[in-house]
């Protein structure tokens, strides 16, 4: 498995690709494949986060926060209509950052789960 296999992840950004390559630099091919299988199941696509964020402008707000395992913020957005739409708009602008932070944490958890740290 080569380092370009991470490029097949949907919506992967350059920063995430470089970070994953660095994280798995010392892994064997088998370890990379196992890591990729676990990480791919936990990772969130940035476009999905953006779409859910935009749905919050016309429907129930905070869906994207629930997807990112931020239940408290999701409930807050739900009851305050996305903090009067301002929070939802800010999140729509910063959807890449939100998904990158979640994915970085998911990668670390995946590596720890497999015992590769």
């Amino acid at each position: 498995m080569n380092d370009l296999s991470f490029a097949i992840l949907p919506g992967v950004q350059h920063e995430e690709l470089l970070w994953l390559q660095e994280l798995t630099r010392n892994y064997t091919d088998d370890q990379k494949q196992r890591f990729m299988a676990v990480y791919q199941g936990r990772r969130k696509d940035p476009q999905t986060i953006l779409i859910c964020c935009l749905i919050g402008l016309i429907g129930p707000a905070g869906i994207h926060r629930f997807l990112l395992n931020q239940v408290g913020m999701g409930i807050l957005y739900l009851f305050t209509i996305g903090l009067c739409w301002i929070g939802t708009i800010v999140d729509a602008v910063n959807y890449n950052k939100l998904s990158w932070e979640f994915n970085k944490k998911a990668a670390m958890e995946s590596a720890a789960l497999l015992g590769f740290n």
Side-chain angles (χ1 to χ4, degrees), residues 28-76:
T28 64
D29 285 344
D30 181 53
Q31 288 176 323
K32 282 184 184 180
Q33 286 177 340
R34 291 186 1 212
F35 172 79
M36 180 73 159
V38 173
Y39 177 64
Q40 199 167 14
R42 292 174 175 245
R43 182 182 181 275
K44 301 295 183 202
D45 181 18
Q47 283 101 14
T48 303
I49 301 302
L50 176 62
I51 290 168
C52 290
C53 206
L54 295 176
I55 288 172
L57 291 172
I58 57 172
I63 297 171
H64 63 289
R65 292 292 183 156
F66 287 109
L67 284 175
L68 295 171
N69 291 337
Q70 298 175 350
V71 177
M73 286 296 288
I75 292 171
L76 180 67

Side-chain angles (χ1 to χ4, degrees), residues 93-113:
V93 171
N94 294 321
Y95 74 97
N96 271 329
K97 182 180 179 231
L98 290 171
S99 60
W100 164 238
E101 289 172 356
F102 178 86
N103 290 338
K104 189 173 183 179
K105 183 178 174 185
M108 295 300 290
E109 288 172 355
S110 298
L113 179 70

